[in-house]
Amino acid sequence: MTPSILAANLGLSFAALAALCLSLNRHHAEVFDRKAERAAVLRLRAFGWAAIAASLVVAGIGEGWAFGPVQWFGALTGAALGLVLLLSYRPRYVAPAALVALGLAAVPLSLAVFTVSP
Amino acid sequence: MKGSFRQSMAWLHTWSGLIVGWVLFAIFVTGTASYYRPDITRWMRPELTRAAPLDAPALGAAAERAVTYLKEHAPKARGWFIGLPQPDKPVLDLFWRTRPGEPPGHAMLDPRTGTEAAMRDTRGGDFLYRFHFELHMPPLWGRWVVGICAMIMLVALISGIVTHKRIFADFFTFRRDKAPRRSWLDAHNVTGVLALPFHLMITYTGIITLALMYMPWGVTTAYKGDNQAFFAEAGWVTTPRAPANRPAALAPVGPLVERALATVPETLERLSVVNPGDANATVIAVFEEPHGLSHQHPQIAFDGVSGEMLEVLGDGLKPAAKTFTVMTGLHEAHFAGTALRLLFFLCGLMGCAMVATGIVLWSLARLPKANERAFFGLRLVQALNIGSIAGLPAAVAVFFLANRLLPVDLAGRAEWEIDAFFGAWIVAALVPLVRPQRRAWCEGLAAVSLLCLAVVAADILTIPGHPLRLMGGDPLFAWFDAAMLLLAGLFALAARKVLRYEAPRKEGKRERDMAQGPRPEPMAPSPTRAPVRHREPTHA
């Protein structure tokens, strides 16, 4: 169970941080060559913080509330490092990578929900 | 110290960071490596192969063999410590203390025969682990130095947070192609801020693990300085028993081992025999900690003569004692599985990078103008930077290399390995003093890369059971070598970057034109890299 929860944490963290990063004008311009609209900024921020919170809940439920927060912080740091490097070397890949990360996080999560619910 | 609060904090950050920076870098590097201490130790003892776990009677018989050996070789000892064979470390690891001030004894036995195990003498990963908090000094001195450095690190962290003006706006900003000071500052901020929870946690819990040594007054007052009584009351150790000073035969330990295993469901890690041969001898069975954040080993104390079970310590700690064990547990991260351990390791590397970029920034912010000489302090800092940032990794690589290349039966082999480590470090720290700064960086980084490659080559050539030579050998060797190759690649990239580096054109152009004339001080990495030396108090 542990590796799939960690994968979900990493995926959620990456997508969340990428959204928060794209809500900042400088990075938005680096990636999309234009300024962010106000509505888009708000949407990105709302999604980013929600996904960070979701990641904590996933870690807490999946790993227990002792290990969960540790893993949550670790995943956030690891994902942030990857994001910063990607942003610096290949800014164009940030948005697609965030979508892929979200998709990767969804797989173990849906599996977990599927196995728990019946 | 003048001006606004933030300027004062910037001053504090700069100077607190500089004075402990080199030691902190060493602490961070060896501490980060210590996340893989058992793996490094296993790599450095290639004679040991993994074995199936022993069942209770076999473990008891092995413990009996250890006691037989100790009765013969250490009859006068105050305490025997018997590390029991584990799948990853299938030997009896014996250790005994005779009296304070005398060096402890140490032996490794084959658990099946009770004779000394045939393998190379090495400190393994334990050397790096102990260096992390003792710096290879006498333990008390080393722990004090490390503790003071850690406290100053905490000061540097907090003042750094205050100093950082745009912590959220620059959260993701790493402008690697801007002027060197800008890029280095970004790298310093990114490695510091992104792993900030880790940095704060590791620094604080690091101080806490040794807090009783730094602040002994509470225990001194309440327990009249009797630390053991305090530890026992906290529930961390079993109640100490004074020797009766009457001889009595030690009960057979085999049955004690079997009873201990039947009582606690964890893996039995070691036995401590306190006051062997005395009527008040105690045998303490120490188990691996159960899966959890808390760093607390379950323990069972037996009367060493009658074999009666005296005390069972489980997880019944009071909140304060539990808080302490959770903090040490978080620091050591024994609980972390492969993936989480990798994240801890990555955070550790970011800590190394934060310290390294910090001390480099200090010198970048003080580069002389094109027509100035570098002042002595700057040259010293520059040389020390190279000596630690390239020198320490080179020394670690030489330590590994010595483990593979020294003759296996060399007397005092473990000490030779350590001498090689310090010898390499001293050379790496002295050479930059007489080389131009940029060349020295390039050579130092390239040397680390080559040494890492040499470690891989030596490993493959000297280990007959290496997975590359023998299909399906112990994968540990392949993983270790892969990590070494990765490090070699990273250091080679860094060396190449230093070699090829040119300052961005628009910033350095005017100064470059000016510098075409008489060439100034060769210590300056390149005249074009030296921006006008204006003090930005918030940045380094």
Side-chain angles (χ1 to χ4, degrees):
Chain A
M1 201 65 181
T2 309
S4 64
I5 297 291
L6 185 61
N9 284 139
L10 280 170
L12 277 173
S13 305
F14 189 90
L17 291 170
L20 289 177
C21 168
L22 291 176
S23 79
L24 296 169
N25 253 331
R26 174 194 289 154
H27 302 304
H28 199 90
E30 273 170 359
V31 173
F32 297 121
D33 285 329
R34 60 182 155 79
K35 282 205 153 186
E37 291 158 31
R38 188 69 200 150
V41 166
L42 290 179
R43 272 203 306 276
L44 284 168
R45 289 202 179 150
F47 169 78
W49 288 111
I52 286 178
S55 175
L56 177 61
V57 172
V58 168
I61 292 173
E63 299 288 337
W65 292 98
F67 291 107
V70 176
Q71 180 159 315
W72 175 67
F73 269 128
L76 272 172
T77 300
L81 183 66
L83 174 64
V84 166
L85 290 176
L86 195 65
L87 190 67
S88 184
Y89 287 85
R90 292 280 181 280
R92 304 273 160 203
Y93 294 180
V94 166
L99 292 177
V100 171
L102 197 59
L104 287 182
V107 174
L109 283 184
S110 51
L111 277 179
V113 171
F114 194 68
T115 44
V116 168
S117 53
Chain B
M1 236 204 284
K2 54 189 180 298
S4 70
F5 177 63
R6 182 168 264 154
Q7 278 172 325
S8 306
M9 285 293 124
W11 182 92
L12 185 62
H13 183 73
T14 303
W15 294 99
S16 62
L18 182 76
I19 50 172
V20 296
W22 301 290
V23 183
L24 275 183
F25 183 75
I27 296 173
F28 258 97
V29 169
T30 49
T32 305
S34 295
Y35 283 131
Y36 291 100
R37 168 160 75 127
D39 309 82
I40 293 175
T41 307
R42 204 147 70 78
W43 185 86
M44 293 180 82
R45 292 195 178 121
E47 293 84 1
L48 292 183
T49 44
R50 300 188 58 157
L54 297 178
D55 59 3
L59 211 55
E64 285 290 359
R65 292 187 191 106
V67 168
T68 311
Y69 179 93
L70 286 165
K71 275 182 180 157
E72 187 183 332
H73 290 85
K76 294 249 166 68
R78 289 181 305 146
W80 296 337
F81 304 90
I82 305 169
L84 292 166
Q86 312 293 337
D88 272 354
K89 190 186 175 190
V91 280
L92 284 161
D93 191 352
L94 308 185
F95 177 84
W96 60 89
R97 284 184 205 282
T98 308
R99 65 171 66 90
E102 251 179 61
H106 184 234
M108 297 268 211
L109 305 186
D110 185 327
R112 285 159 304 183
T113 60
T115 52
E116 289 189 27
M119 59 179 187
R120 63 190 69 196
D121 181 21
T122 178
R123 294 278 305 280
D126 293 358
F127 169 68
L128 298 174
Y129 168 70
R130 295 200 78 92
F131 188 93
H132 169 64
F133 60 93
E134 287 174 356
L135 303 173
H136 205 63
M137 295 163 85
L140 271 181
W141 283 95
R143 288 174 192 206
W144 267 107
V145 172
V146 169
I148 291 168
C149 287
M151 292 173 210
I152 298 179
M153 164 93 189
L154 204 53
V155 169
L157 273 177
I158 309 267
S159 57
I161 298 169
V162 176
T163 307
H164 195 349
K165 276 190 221 151
R166 296 154 51 84
I167 221 162
F168 290 106
D170 280 350
F171 200 86
F172 303 102
T173 307
F174 174 41
R175 288 155 288 191
R176 65 196 162 80
D177 44 6
K178 289 282 168 40
R181 267 182 78 185
R182 169 54 57 196
S183 312
W184 281 92
L185 181 60
D186 278 351
H188 185 62
N189 288 344
V190 159
T191 49
V193 171
L194 295 187
L196 191 61
F198 173 81
H199 299 324
L200 286 171
M201 178 280 284
I202 211 75
T203 312
Y204 185 72
T205 57
I207 298 169
I208 291 293
T209 48
L210 293 177
L212 286 172
M213 190 184 126
Y214 304 133
M215 299 198 294
W217 310 291
V219 178
T220 311
T221 311
Y223 294 85
K224 314 249 180 308
D226 187 356
N227 278 358
Q228 290 303 315
F230 167 67
F231 293 152
E233 202 160 305
W236 293 329
V237 299
T238 55
T239 312
R241 305 203 305 160
N245 293 321
R246 278 180 288 111
L250 189 69
V253 292
L256 300 187
V257 166
E258 293 186 41
R259 271 164 60 203
L261 284 169
T263 313
V264 173
E266 302 297 330
T267 309
L268 185 57
E269 203 173 82
R270 58 180 190 267
L271 294 180
S272 314
V273 184
V274 186
N275 300 317
D278 188 90
N280 262 356
T282 318
V283 178
I284 304 164
V286 182
F287 295 83
E288 263 178 29
E289 55 227 80
H291 190 62
L293 290 182
S294 168
H295 176 66
Q296 167 66 10
H297 298 268
Q299 299 168 38
I300 301 178
F302 295 97
D303 186 296
V305 176
S306 68
E308 182 198 348
M309 199 181 279
L310 299 171
E311 198 175 350
V312 182
L313 281 189
D315 196 28
L317 294 180
K318 298 263 169 56
K322 179 95 178 174
T323 305
F324 185 89
T325 56
V326 167
M327 285 201 181
T328 43
L330 268 178
H331 191 86
E332 300 185 345
H334 285 179
F335 54 81
T338 313
L340 194 54
R341 183 161 300 263
L342 203 60
L343 283 178
F344 267 89
F345 182 74
L346 203 65
C347 287
L349 287 185
M350 287 169 83
C352 301
M354 174 184 66
V355 177
T357 49
I359 49 183
V360 169
L361 262 177
W362 188 94
S363 66
L364 281 181
R366 284 159 189 79
L367 284 182
K369 285 183 211 162
N371 51 2
E372 276 178 3
R373 282 184 70 85
F375 57 102
F376 171 75
L378 176 64
R379 294 185 50 164
L380 183 69
V381 168
Q382 286 174 332
L384 281 171
N385 283 352
I386 304 171
S388 53
I389 295 170
L392 177 64
V396 174
V398 166
F399 179 61
F400 292 152
L401 206 54
N403 178 269
R404 285 294 184 263
L405 296 184
L406 289 174
V408 173
D409 49 1
L410 182 70
R413 194 177 190 284
E415 282 69 43
W416 275 104
E417 286 178 8
I418 295 171
D419 292 348
F421 172 87
F422 283 108
W425 200 357
I426 290 169
V427 170
L430 289 182
V431 168
L433 284 170
V434 295
R435 300 289 291 161
Q437 134 107 346
R438 189 158 161 185
R439 294 289 299 277
W441 270 114
C442 191
E443 289 162 2
L445 296 168
V448 179
S449 178
L450 288 177
L451 282 167
C452 290
L453 289 179
V455 171
V456 177
D459 189 35
I460 295 173
L461 291 176
T462 60
I463 303 303
H466 193 282
L468 273 188
R469 288 167 61 169
L470 190 80
M471 277 311 170
D474 190 340
L476 171 83
F477 294 89
W479 281 114
F480 192 101
D481 291 351
M484 279 294 160
L485 284 178
L486 200 64
L487 281 177
L490 283 175
F491 276 97
L493 268 179
R496 185 168 167 275
K497 205 149 171 85
V498 175
L499 189 68
R500 298 272 174 89
Y501 180 80
E502 275 185 56
R505 204 157 256 281
K506 63 177 183 212
E507 281 175 16
K509 191 162 179 289
R510 233 186 61 221
E511 283 151 296
R512 184 177 312 178
D513 295 340
M514 279 163 57
Q516 291 301 324
R519 197 167 164 75
E521 170 57 32
M523 275 300 286
S526 125
T528 57
R529 287 181 67 186
V532 185
R533 192 178 152 209
H534 56 128
R535 286 290 187 93
E536 276 176 64
T538 52
H539 298 155

